[in-house]
Amino acid sequence: NIDKAVELLSIALRTYKMKRNKHDTSKTYHALAKLKASSSAKSGVELDHIAALECYEEAIKERRKVAVLNDIVLASMLYEYATILCAKSDYDTAMPLLEEALRIQKVKKGLKDDQVANILLRTAEVHIHNGKYDASLVSLEQVLFIHNALGEAVDIDLGLCHHLLSSTYLARGDYEKAVES
């Protein structure tokens, strides 16, 4: 039951805040954000969506207080938050978050990482919406490189990658390459 989970996490959050436990406060906000984002996706209720964004903002704020340099958990939070912002077409706010998440992820895991590829896919989407087609192509080519380097057993949405490639070529007026993608 989602309502019960939210209630229990809210109680935990109050306890951690009262004890000034920033690490667990951040983790609890993150759990609440994921839960509310999931609830919003299922219900379509705008208030759940707003609540998820607010929880992500708080989770990131608290995580920054305790995070070490290049914190992989922070990178994950930034990516998840940016993904929701993209769903709301708030690309200008999402882009710096994606750039930070990508930088951290590359430092911690290297270029050949499926999460790097997923961040690059989202970055390419933002570039397309901002009319930066060359930057989109660079990101998408990196995604394909990562996929080829890691093989089939990785969690990369190649369908989305090819869709974005096709959309980018169409926007540039290169219909032949759009069909090939």
Side-chain angles (χ1 to χ4, degrees):
N1 185 327
I2 291 177
D3 292 333
K4 187 65 172 175
V6 168
E7 180 185 339
L8 293 172
L9 285 170
S10 296
I11 292 168
L13 183 60
R14 282 192 301 274
T15 303
Y16 293 139
K17 284 176 132 181
M18 190 173 64
K19 292 182 176 185
R20 300 186 195 284
N21 183 335
K22 292 175 180 31
H23 184 266
D24 287 334
T25 298
S26 172
K27 285 176 26 183
T28 306
Y29 269 125
H30 191 204
L32 271 168
K34 285 181 168 185
L35 191 62
K36 290 182 182 206
S38 168
S39 174
S40 171
K42 290 177 186 169
S43 69
V45 176
E46 182 65 19
L47 289 176
D48 288 340
H49 204 78
I50 293 168
L53 290 172
E54 290 171 352
C55 285
Y56 271 111
E57 289 168 4
E58 289 299 318
I60 290 167
K61 183 175 85 176
E62 292 298 321
R63 187 68 192 189
R64 288 187 192 281
K65 292 177 183 176
V66 296
V68 294
L69 184 63
N70 300 319
D71 180 41
I72 202 80
V73 174
L74 177 61
S76 177
M77 287 179 185
L78 292 166
Y79 170 71
E80 292 165 13
Y81 180 43
T83 297
I84 294 174
L85 290 168
C86 287
K88 295 196 55 73
S89 300
D90 189 353
Y91 301 107
D92 292 337
T93 305
M95 192 59 182
L97 301 169
L98 289 168
E99 289 170 341
E100 184 179 359
L102 183 61
R103 182 192 57 73
I104 293 168
Q105 195 72 27
K106 281 182 175 180
V107 166
K108 292 303 270 189
K109 299 288 185 168
L111 182 61
K112 296 178 185 175
D113 177 65
D114 58 343
Q115 186 63 9
V116 168
N118 289 321
I119 297 169
L120 286 166
L121 278 172
R122 189 68 60 211
T123 301
E125 179 185 344
V126 173
H127 286 314
I128 290 169
H129 286 281
N130 289 337
K132 297 180 179 179
Y133 305 119
D134 290 339
S136 174
L137 289 174
V138 169
S139 293
L140 295 169
E141 288 169 3
Q142 289 178 24
V143 170
L144 292 174
F145 168 80
I146 293 168
H147 179 265
N148 290 336
L150 296 178
E152 296 294 324
V154 295
D155 185 23
I156 299 171
D157 188 348
L158 275 185
L160 177 59
C161 183
H162 287 288
H163 170 76
L164 293 174
L165 273 169
S166 181
S167 297
T168 302
Y169 286 126
L170 276 174
R172 292 176 68 183
D174 193 341
Y175 304 111
E176 197 172 300
K177 284 189 176 182
V179 171
E180 290 174 12
S181 300

